[in-house]
Amino acid sequence: MQTLHLDHQPDQQDALAAAAAALRAGQVIVLPTDTVYGLAALPGDADAVRRVYLAKGRPAGLPLPVLAGSLEQVRQLGVEYSAPARALAAHWWPGPLTMAFGFSPTAARPSWLSDREEVAVRIPRHAFLLALLPVTGVLLVTSANPHGSVTAPTAEEAASYLAPHVSLIVDGGVLDSTPSTLVNVRAGGAVIEREGAITAADIAAALAEANGAA
């Protein structure tokens, strides 16, 4: 297992190239985000996705969330981008907001999403990821810890959990480890399913502001 330290690479190009190459080779890697360390794989690689579930001990019935690098990448997933979603994205993308979308009946979606009713997506506020995601495309990323356990604030702790299953760890230092807030925006609603870095009061205020401006 290889570890790359971002603080040793001012331009991050070596780490970006190594991470992209590992993912394209079907490997599972650990990455820093603006919230917690993530366990990542390319969504179209079924074997890599299977190994993410194995590494984490995640129940097979729990779909993996997605990190995207731009609104364009989000729209390419075929999601239904409602008014509440637009309002929340305007406040917190990039940032610690995950939104669970339904799919547009008229838009095409990638084949790896064909059996899903919704997909949870986030655009992270992290320079390394925002440079990587345009290269790799969207990634399936879940927190780098065993299912049901506390999140790993350091790359070393993530490695101790997941080392047998991971080929590369990108060390971004000590992270805040507060998870993103998850809001379900299917069918034009906005229901908080997990309160995290963004409070329920802040979500309500953003939606009220958007409704007032409409």
PDB file of all heavy atoms in Angstrom, residues 173-212:
ATOM      1  N   GLY A 173      -3.765  15.160   5.924  1.00  0.00           N
ATOM      2  CA  GLY A 173      -3.675  15.692   7.272  1.00  0.00           C
ATOM      3  C   GLY A 173      -4.874  15.336   8.125  1.00  0.00           C
ATOM      4  O   GLY A 173      -5.679  14.479   7.776  1.00  0.00           O
ATOM      5  N   VAL A 174      -4.994  16.006   9.259  1.00  0.00           N
ATOM      6  CA  VAL A 174      -6.102  15.758  10.184  1.00  0.00           C
ATOM      7  C   VAL A 174      -7.340  16.487   9.671  1.00  0.00           C
ATOM      8  O   VAL A 174      -7.303  17.685   9.392  1.00  0.00           O
ATOM      9  CB  VAL A 174      -5.762  16.253  11.604  1.00  0.00           C
ATOM     10  CG1 VAL A 174      -6.938  16.008  12.546  1.00  0.00           C
ATOM     11  CG2 VAL A 174      -4.506  15.559  12.121  1.00  0.00           C
ATOM     12  N   LEU A 175      -8.436  15.760   9.536  1.00  0.00           N
ATOM     13  CA  LEU A 175      -9.683  16.328   9.021  1.00  0.00           C
ATOM     14  C   LEU A 175     -10.664  16.594  10.155  1.00  0.00           C
ATOM     15  O   LEU A 175     -10.578  15.999  11.230  1.00  0.00           O
ATOM     16  CB  LEU A 175     -10.316  15.376   8.002  1.00  0.00           C
ATOM     17  CG  LEU A 175      -9.450  14.977   6.805  1.00  0.00           C
ATOM     18  CD1 LEU A 175     -10.243  14.111   5.852  1.00  0.00           C
ATOM     19  CD2 LEU A 175      -8.908  16.206   6.082  1.00  0.00           C
ATOM     20  N   ASP A 176     -11.606  17.460   9.880  1.00  0.00           N
ATOM     21  CA  ASP A 176     -12.623  17.821  10.877  1.00  0.00           C
ATOM     22  C   ASP A 176     -13.470  16.627  11.280  1.00  0.00           C
ATOM     23  O   ASP A 176     -13.875  16.486  12.425  1.00  0.00           O
ATOM     24  CB  ASP A 176     -13.506  18.927  10.304  1.00  0.00           C
ATOM     25  CG  ASP A 176     -14.652  19.287  11.229  1.00  0.00           C
ATOM     26  OD1 ASP A 176     -14.386  19.834  12.297  1.00  0.00           O
ATOM     27  OD2 ASP A 176     -15.813  18.990  10.874  1.00  0.00           O
ATOM     28  N   SER A 177     -13.758  15.758  10.324  1.00  0.00           N
ATOM     29  CA  SER A 177     -14.513  14.522  10.545  1.00  0.00           C
ATOM     30  C   SER A 177     -15.973  14.734  10.912  1.00  0.00           C
ATOM     31  O   SER A 177     -16.635  13.818  11.397  1.00  0.00           O
ATOM     32  CB  SER A 177     -13.838  13.632  11.602  1.00  0.00           C
ATOM     33  OG  SER A 177     -12.640  13.098  11.100  1.00  0.00           O
ATOM     34  N   THR A 178     -16.500  15.921  10.682  1.00  0.00           N
ATOM     35  CA  THR A 178     -17.943  16.124  10.785  1.00  0.00           C
ATOM     36  C   THR A 178     -18.561  15.766   9.446  1.00  0.00           C
ATOM     37  O   THR A 178     -18.190  16.344   8.423  1.00  0.00           O
ATOM     38  CB  THR A 178     -18.276  17.586  11.122  1.00  0.00           C
ATOM     39  OG1 THR A 178     -17.633  17.940  12.339  1.00  0.00           O
ATOM     40  CG2 THR A 178     -19.782  17.781  11.265  1.00  0.00           C
ATOM     41  N   PRO A 179     -19.485  14.825   9.402  1.00  0.00           N
ATOM     42  CA  PRO A 179     -20.039  14.414   8.106  1.00  0.00           C
ATOM     43  C   PRO A 179     -20.884  15.511   7.477  1.00  0.00           C
ATOM     44  O   PRO A 179     -21.309  16.471   8.142  1.00  0.00           O
ATOM     45  CB  PRO A 179     -20.889  13.193   8.463  1.00  0.00           C
ATOM     46  CG  PRO A 179     -21.251  13.387   9.893  1.00  0.00           C
ATOM     47  CD  PRO A 179     -20.075  14.075  10.525  1.00  0.00           C
ATOM     48  N   SER A 180     -21.134  15.346   6.193  1.00  0.00           N
ATOM     49  CA  SER A 180     -22.009  16.288   5.495  1.00  0.00           C
ATOM     50  C   SER A 180     -23.443  16.122   5.978  1.00  0.00           C
ATOM     51  O   SER A 180     -23.828  15.094   6.537  1.00  0.00           O
ATOM     52  CB  SER A 180     -21.944  16.048   3.990  1.00  0.00           C
ATOM     53  OG  SER A 180     -22.443  14.761   3.668  1.00  0.00           O
ATOM     54  N   THR A 181     -24.230  17.149   5.751  1.00  0.00           N
ATOM     55  CA  THR A 181     -25.674  17.073   5.995  1.00  0.00           C
ATOM     56  C   THR A 181     -26.337  16.482   4.753  1.00  0.00           C
ATOM     57  O   THR A 181     -26.025  16.871   3.629  1.00  0.00           O
ATOM     58  CB  THR A 181     -26.235  18.475   6.288  1.00  0.00           C
ATOM     59  OG1 THR A 181     -25.684  18.933   7.536  1.00  0.00           O
ATOM     60  CG2 THR A 181     -27.756  18.463   6.381  1.00  0.00           C
ATOM     61  N   LEU A 182     -27.218  15.529   4.959  1.00  0.00           N
ATOM     62  CA  LEU A 182     -27.907  14.841   3.863  1.00  0.00           C
ATOM     63  C   LEU A 182     -29.353  15.313   3.788  1.00  0.00           C
ATOM     64  O   LEU A 182     -30.103  15.198   4.771  1.00  0.00           O
ATOM     65  CB  LEU A 182     -27.860  13.329   4.075  1.00  0.00           C
ATOM     66  CG  LEU A 182     -28.686  12.462   3.127  1.00  0.00           C
ATOM     67  CD1 LEU A 182     -28.241  12.640   1.681  1.00  0.00           C
ATOM     68  CD2 LEU A 182     -28.596  10.990   3.536  1.00  0.00           C
ATOM     69  N   VAL A 183     -29.716  15.841   2.621  1.00  0.00           N
ATOM     70  CA  VAL A 183     -31.085  16.311   2.390  1.00  0.00           C
ATOM     71  C   VAL A 183     -31.659  15.570   1.193  1.00  0.00           C
ATOM     72  O   VAL A 183     -31.056  15.543   0.118  1.00  0.00           O
ATOM     73  CB  VAL A 183     -31.119  17.827   2.124  1.00  0.00           C
ATOM     74  CG1 VAL A 183     -32.560  18.299   1.919  1.00  0.00           C
ATOM     75  CG2 VAL A 183     -30.481  18.595   3.273  1.00  0.00           C
ATOM     76  N   ASN A 184     -32.820  14.975   1.377  1.00  0.00           N
ATOM     77  CA  ASN A 184     -33.490  14.287   0.273  1.00  0.00           C
ATOM     78  C   ASN A 184     -34.345  15.305  -0.479  1.00  0.00           C
ATOM     79  O   ASN A 184     -35.240  15.927   0.103  1.00  0.00           O
ATOM     80  CB  ASN A 184     -34.361  13.149   0.793  1.00  0.00           C
ATOM     81  CG  ASN A 184     -34.790  12.213  -0.314  1.00  0.00           C
ATOM     82  OD1 ASN A 184     -35.334  12.633  -1.331  1.00  0.00           O
ATOM     83  ND2 ASN A 184     -34.550  10.918  -0.135  1.00  0.00           N
ATOM     84  N   VAL A 185     -34.041  15.472  -1.780  1.00  0.00           N
ATOM     85  CA  VAL A 185     -34.761  16.462  -2.596  1.00  0.00           C
ATOM     86  C   VAL A 185     -35.588  15.794  -3.691  1.00  0.00           C
ATOM     87  O   VAL A 185     -35.919  16.415  -4.699  1.00  0.00           O
ATOM     88  CB  VAL A 185     -33.770  17.484  -3.209  1.00  0.00           C
ATOM     89  CG1 VAL A 185     -33.155  18.346  -2.128  1.00  0.00           C
ATOM     90  CG2 VAL A 185     -32.691  16.797  -4.035  1.00  0.00           C
ATOM     91  N   ARG A 186     -35.941  14.555  -3.491  1.00  0.00           N
ATOM     92  CA  ARG A 186     -36.795  13.878  -4.462  1.00  0.00           C
ATOM     93  C   ARG A 186     -38.182  14.498  -4.487  1.00  0.00           C
ATOM     94  O   ARG A 186     -38.684  15.000  -3.475  1.00  0.00           O
ATOM     95  CB  ARG A 186     -36.922  12.387  -4.114  1.00  0.00           C
ATOM     96  CG  ARG A 186     -35.687  11.570  -4.414  1.00  0.00           C
ATOM     97  CD  ARG A 186     -35.905  10.112  -4.067  1.00  0.00           C
ATOM     98  NE  ARG A 186     -36.922   9.485  -4.911  1.00  0.00           N
ATOM     99  CZ  ARG A 186     -37.329   8.229  -4.763  1.00  0.00           C
ATOM    100  NH1 ARG A 186     -36.812   7.474  -3.799  1.00  0.00           N
ATOM    101  NH2 ARG A 186     -38.243   7.721  -5.565  1.00  0.00           N
ATOM    102  N   ALA A 187     -38.793  14.457  -5.659  1.00  0.00           N
ATOM    103  CA  ALA A 187     -40.187  14.892  -5.845  1.00  0.00           C
ATOM    104  C   ALA A 187     -40.400  16.343  -5.419  1.00  0.00           C
ATOM    105  O   ALA A 187     -41.484  16.720  -4.963  1.00  0.00           O
ATOM    106  CB  ALA A 187     -41.135  13.963  -5.076  1.00  0.00           C
ATOM    107  N   GLY A 188     -39.359  17.165  -5.545  1.00  0.00           N
ATOM    108  CA  GLY A 188     -39.513  18.587  -5.277  1.00  0.00           C
ATOM    109  C   GLY A 188     -39.529  18.974  -3.820  1.00  0.00           C
ATOM    110  O   GLY A 188     -39.742  20.148  -3.491  1.00  0.00           O
ATOM    111  N   GLY A 189     -39.295  18.026  -2.914  1.00  0.00           N
ATOM    112  CA  GLY A 189     -39.259  18.335  -1.490  1.00  0.00           C
ATOM    113  C   GLY A 189     -37.843  18.609  -1.011  1.00  0.00           C
ATOM    114  O   GLY A 189     -36.902  18.708  -1.794  1.00  0.00           O
ATOM    115  N   ALA A 190     -37.691  18.726   0.303  1.00  0.00           N
ATOM    116  CA  ALA A 190     -36.381  18.881   0.927  1.00  0.00           C
ATOM    117  C   ALA A 190     -36.487  18.380   2.358  1.00  0.00           C
ATOM    118  O   ALA A 190     -36.940  19.087   3.262  1.00  0.00           O
ATOM    119  CB  ALA A 190     -35.927  20.325   0.900  1.00  0.00           C
ATOM    120  N   VAL A 191     -36.104  17.118   2.571  1.00  0.00           N
ATOM    121  CA  VAL A 191     -36.242  16.469   3.875  1.00  0.00           C
ATOM    122  C   VAL A 191     -34.851  16.126   4.395  1.00  0.00           C
ATOM    123  O   VAL A 191     -34.083  15.423   3.728  1.00  0.00           O
ATOM    124  CB  VAL A 191     -37.095  15.186   3.763  1.00  0.00           C
ATOM    125  CG1 VAL A 191     -37.176  14.498   5.117  1.00  0.00           C
ATOM    126  CG2 VAL A 191     -38.481  15.510   3.224  1.00  0.00           C
ATOM    127  N   ILE A 192     -34.514  16.616   5.573  1.00  0.00           N
ATOM    128  CA  ILE A 192     -33.205  16.330   6.157  1.00  0.00           C
ATOM    129  C   ILE A 192     -33.195  14.891   6.668  1.00  0.00           C
ATOM    130  O   ILE A 192     -33.997  14.514   7.523  1.00  0.00           O
ATOM    131  CB  ILE A 192     -32.884  17.304   7.295  1.00  0.00           C
ATOM    132  CG1 ILE A 192     -32.786  18.724   6.748  1.00  0.00           C
ATOM    133  CG2 ILE A 192     -31.572  16.917   7.990  1.00  0.00           C
ATOM    134  CD1 ILE A 192     -32.613  19.792   7.807  1.00  0.00           C
ATOM    135  N   GLU A 193     -32.279  14.086   6.131  1.00  0.00           N
ATOM    136  CA  GLU A 193     -32.158  12.692   6.563  1.00  0.00           C
ATOM    137  C   GLU A 193     -30.977  12.496   7.518  1.00  0.00           C
ATOM    138  O   GLU A 193     -30.938  11.495   8.240  1.00  0.00           O
ATOM    139  CB  GLU A 193     -31.998  11.789   5.342  1.00  0.00           C
ATOM    140  CG  GLU A 193     -33.232  11.794   4.447  1.00  0.00           C
ATOM    141  CD  GLU A 193     -33.172  10.765   3.346  1.00  0.00           C
ATOM    142  OE1 GLU A 193     -32.080  10.226   3.072  1.00  0.00           O
ATOM    143  OE2 GLU A 193     -34.233  10.494   2.741  1.00  0.00           O
ATOM    144  N   ARG A 194     -30.024  13.426   7.497  1.00  0.00           N
ATOM    145  CA  ARG A 194     -28.904  13.378   8.444  1.00  0.00           C
ATOM    146  C   ARG A 194     -28.391  14.797   8.631  1.00  0.00           C
ATOM    147  O   ARG A 194     -27.999  15.457   7.682  1.00  0.00           O
ATOM    148  CB  ARG A 194     -27.759  12.507   7.916  1.00  0.00           C
ATOM    149  CG  ARG A 194     -26.555  12.420   8.867  1.00  0.00           C
ATOM    150  CD  ARG A 194     -25.398  11.680   8.238  1.00  0.00           C
ATOM    151  NE  ARG A 194     -24.809  12.419   7.119  1.00  0.00           N
ATOM    152  CZ  ARG A 194     -24.264  11.853   6.051  1.00  0.00           C
ATOM    153  NH1 ARG A 194     -24.242  10.552   5.917  1.00  0.00           N
ATOM    154  NH2 ARG A 194     -23.756  12.613   5.076  1.00  0.00           N
ATOM    155  N   GLU A 195     -28.423  15.274   9.860  1.00  0.00           N
ATOM    156  CA  GLU A 195     -27.870  16.599  10.144  1.00  0.00           C
ATOM    157  C   GLU A 195     -26.385  16.458  10.439  1.00  0.00           C
ATOM    158  O   GLU A 195     -25.980  15.637  11.268  1.00  0.00           O
ATOM    159  CB  GLU A 195     -28.583  17.255  11.322  1.00  0.00           C
ATOM    160  CG  GLU A 195     -28.169  18.701  11.543  1.00  0.00           C
ATOM    161  CD  GLU A 195     -29.024  19.412  12.577  1.00  0.00           C
ATOM    162  OE1 GLU A 195     -30.032  18.824  13.031  1.00  0.00           O
ATOM    163  OE2 GLU A 195     -28.691  20.557  12.923  1.00  0.00           O
ATOM    164  N   GLY A 196     -25.574  17.243   9.762  1.00  0.00           N
ATOM    165  CA  GLY A 196     -24.134  17.184   9.949  1.00  0.00           C
ATOM    166  C   GLY A 196     -23.544  18.569  10.057  1.00  0.00           C
ATOM    167  O   GLY A 196     -23.911  19.353  10.933  1.00  0.00           O
ATOM    168  N   ALA A 197     -22.630  18.897   9.126  1.00  0.00           N
ATOM    169  CA  ALA A 197     -21.925  20.169   9.191  1.00  0.00           C
ATOM    170  C   ALA A 197     -22.838  21.374   8.991  1.00  0.00           C
ATOM    171  O   ALA A 197     -22.526  22.475   9.436  1.00  0.00           O
ATOM    172  CB  ALA A 197     -20.807  20.184   8.153  1.00  0.00           C
ATOM    173  N   ILE A 198     -23.951  21.180   8.308  1.00  0.00           N
ATOM    174  CA  ILE A 198     -24.932  22.251   8.094  1.00  0.00           C
ATOM    175  C   ILE A 198     -26.144  21.953   8.964  1.00  0.00           C
ATOM    176  O   ILE A 198     -26.682  20.835   8.935  1.00  0.00           O
ATOM    177  CB  ILE A 198     -25.346  22.337   6.618  1.00  0.00           C
ATOM    178  CG1 ILE A 198     -24.129  22.543   5.725  1.00  0.00           C
ATOM    179  CG2 ILE A 198     -26.343  23.462   6.406  1.00  0.00           C
ATOM    180  CD1 ILE A 198     -24.411  22.309   4.259  1.00  0.00           C
ATOM    181  N   THR A 199     -26.590  22.931   9.737  1.00  0.00           N
ATOM    182  CA  THR A 199     -27.692  22.685  10.667  1.00  0.00           C
ATOM    183  C   THR A 199     -29.035  22.685   9.955  1.00  0.00           C
ATOM    184  O   THR A 199     -29.200  23.262   8.868  1.00  0.00           O
ATOM    185  CB  THR A 199     -27.729  23.755  11.769  1.00  0.00           C
ATOM    186  OG1 THR A 199     -28.074  25.024  11.179  1.00  0.00           O
ATOM    187  CG2 THR A 199     -26.386  23.872  12.472  1.00  0.00           C
ATOM    188  N   ALA A 200     -30.007  22.070  10.609  1.00  0.00           N
ATOM    189  CA  ALA A 200     -31.371  22.076  10.079  1.00  0.00           C
ATOM    190  C   ALA A 200     -31.899  23.505   9.974  1.00  0.00           C
ATOM    191  O   ALA A 200     -32.624  23.845   9.034  1.00  0.00           O
ATOM    192  CB  ALA A 200     -32.273  21.233  10.977  1.00  0.00           C
ATOM    193  N   ALA A 201     -31.528  24.357  10.923  1.00  0.00           N
ATOM    194  CA  ALA A 201     -31.980  25.753  10.882  1.00  0.00           C
ATOM    195  C   ALA A 201     -31.422  26.479   9.663  1.00  0.00           C
ATOM    196  O   ALA A 201     -32.122  27.275   9.027  1.00  0.00           O
ATOM    197  CB  ALA A 201     -31.567  26.468  12.166  1.00  0.00           C
ATOM    198  N   ASP A 202     -30.163  26.199   9.324  1.00  0.00           N
ATOM    199  CA  ASP A 202     -29.572  26.837   8.149  1.00  0.00           C
ATOM    200  C   ASP A 202     -30.237  26.359   6.861  1.00  0.00           C
ATOM    201  O   ASP A 202     -30.458  27.143   5.930  1.00  0.00           O
ATOM    202  CB  ASP A 202     -28.068  26.546   8.091  1.00  0.00           C
ATOM    203  CG  ASP A 202     -27.291  27.352   9.116  1.00  0.00           C
ATOM    204  OD1 ASP A 202     -27.799  28.385   9.583  1.00  0.00           O
ATOM    205  OD2 ASP A 202     -26.166  26.939   9.456  1.00  0.00           O
ATOM    206  N   ILE A 203     -30.559  25.064   6.799  1.00  0.00           N
ATOM    207  CA  ILE A 203     -31.266  24.539   5.621  1.00  0.00           C
ATOM    208  C   ILE A 203     -32.625  25.212   5.490  1.00  0.00           C
ATOM    209  O   ILE A 203     -33.014  25.666   4.399  1.00  0.00           O
ATOM    210  CB  ILE A 203     -31.437  23.012   5.757  1.00  0.00           C
ATOM    211  CG1 ILE A 203     -30.083  22.295   5.716  1.00  0.00           C
ATOM    212  CG2 ILE A 203     -32.364  22.488   4.654  1.00  0.00           C
ATOM    213  CD1 ILE A 203     -29.383  22.329   4.387  1.00  0.00           C
ATOM    214  N   ALA A 204     -33.358  25.303   6.590  1.00  0.00           N
ATOM    215  CA  ALA A 204     -34.680  25.924   6.569  1.00  0.00           C
ATOM    216  C   ALA A 204     -34.589  27.388   6.141  1.00  0.00           C
ATOM    217  O   ALA A 204     -35.434  27.870   5.363  1.00  0.00           O
ATOM    218  CB  ALA A 204     -35.342  25.801   7.934  1.00  0.00           C
ATOM    219  N   ALA A 205     -33.575  28.090   6.624  1.00  0.00           N
ATOM    220  CA  ALA A 205     -33.430  29.516   6.293  1.00  0.00           C
ATOM    221  C   ALA A 205     -33.128  29.697   4.807  1.00  0.00           C
ATOM    222  O   ALA A 205     -33.653  30.622   4.160  1.00  0.00           O
ATOM    223  CB  ALA A 205     -32.331  30.135   7.139  1.00  0.00           C
ATOM    224  N   ALA A 206     -32.281  28.831   4.244  1.00  0.00           N
ATOM    225  CA  ALA A 206     -31.951  28.921   2.822  1.00  0.00           C
ATOM    226  C   ALA A 206     -33.184  28.663   1.961  1.00  0.00           C
ATOM    227  O   ALA A 206     -33.401  29.340   0.928  1.00  0.00           O
ATOM    228  CB  ALA A 206     -30.842  27.939   2.485  1.00  0.00           C
ATOM    229  N   LEU A 207     -33.993  27.683   2.344  1.00  0.00           N
ATOM    230  CA  LEU A 207     -35.196  27.381   1.572  1.00  0.00           C
ATOM    231  C   LEU A 207     -36.224  28.510   1.694  1.00  0.00           C
ATOM    232  O   LEU A 207     -36.879  28.864   0.708  1.00  0.00           O
ATOM    233  CB  LEU A 207     -35.783  26.059   2.039  1.00  0.00           C
ATOM    234  CG  LEU A 207     -34.929  24.812   1.749  1.00  0.00           C
ATOM    235  CD1 LEU A 207     -35.520  23.599   2.448  1.00  0.00           C
ATOM    236  CD2 LEU A 207     -34.828  24.574   0.251  1.00  0.00           C
ATOM    237  N   ALA A 208     -36.340  29.077   2.893  1.00  0.00           N
ATOM    238  CA  ALA A 208     -37.275  30.184   3.083  1.00  0.00           C
ATOM    239  C   ALA A 208     -36.854  31.406   2.280  1.00  0.00           C
ATOM    240  O   ALA A 208     -37.681  32.087   1.666  1.00  0.00           O
ATOM    241  CB  ALA A 208     -37.380  30.542   4.567  1.00  0.00           C
ATOM    242  N   GLU A 209     -35.548  31.661   2.244  1.00  0.00           N
ATOM    243  CA  GLU A 209     -35.028  32.772   1.450  1.00  0.00           C
ATOM    244  C   GLU A 209     -35.334  32.571  -0.032  1.00  0.00           C
ATOM    245  O   GLU A 209     -35.743  33.502  -0.741  1.00  0.00           O
ATOM    246  CB  GLU A 209     -33.526  32.894   1.676  1.00  0.00           C
ATOM    247  CG  GLU A 209     -32.850  33.981   0.848  1.00  0.00           C
ATOM    248  CD  GLU A 209     -31.350  33.975   1.026  1.00  0.00           C
ATOM    249  OE1 GLU A 209     -30.872  33.576   2.111  1.00  0.00           O
ATOM    250  OE2 GLU A 209     -30.642  34.355   0.073  1.00  0.00           O
ATOM    251  N   ALA A 210     -35.131  31.338  -0.509  1.00  0.00           N
ATOM    252  CA  ALA A 210     -35.404  31.045  -1.928  1.00  0.00           C
ATOM    253  C   ALA A 210     -36.890  31.196  -2.234  1.00  0.00           C
ATOM    254  O   ALA A 210     -37.270  31.725  -3.302  1.00  0.00           O
ATOM    255  CB  ALA A 210     -34.922  29.651  -2.263  1.00  0.00           C
ATOM    256  N   ASN A 211     -37.739  30.727  -1.335  1.00  0.00           N
ATOM    257  CA  ASN A 211     -39.187  30.851  -1.560  1.00  0.00           C
ATOM    258  C   ASN A 211     -39.630  32.306  -1.559  1.00  0.00           C
ATOM    259  O   ASN A 211     -40.529  32.709  -2.309  1.00  0.00           O
ATOM    260  CB  ASN A 211     -39.950  30.065  -0.504  1.00  0.00           C
ATOM    261  CG  ASN A 211     -39.815  28.567  -0.679  1.00  0.00           C
ATOM    262  OD1 ASN A 211     -39.595  28.091  -1.800  1.00  0.00           O
ATOM    263  ND2 ASN A 211     -39.951  27.813   0.398  1.00  0.00           N
ATOM    264  N   GLY A 212     -38.998  33.107  -0.709  1.00  0.00           N
ATOM    265  CA  GLY A 212     -39.336  34.517  -0.641  1.00  0.00           C
ATOM    266  C   GLY A 212     -38.924  35.283  -1.879  1.00  0.00           C
ATOM    267  O   GLY A 212     -39.571  36.254  -2.267  1.00  0.00           O
TER     268      GLY A 212
END
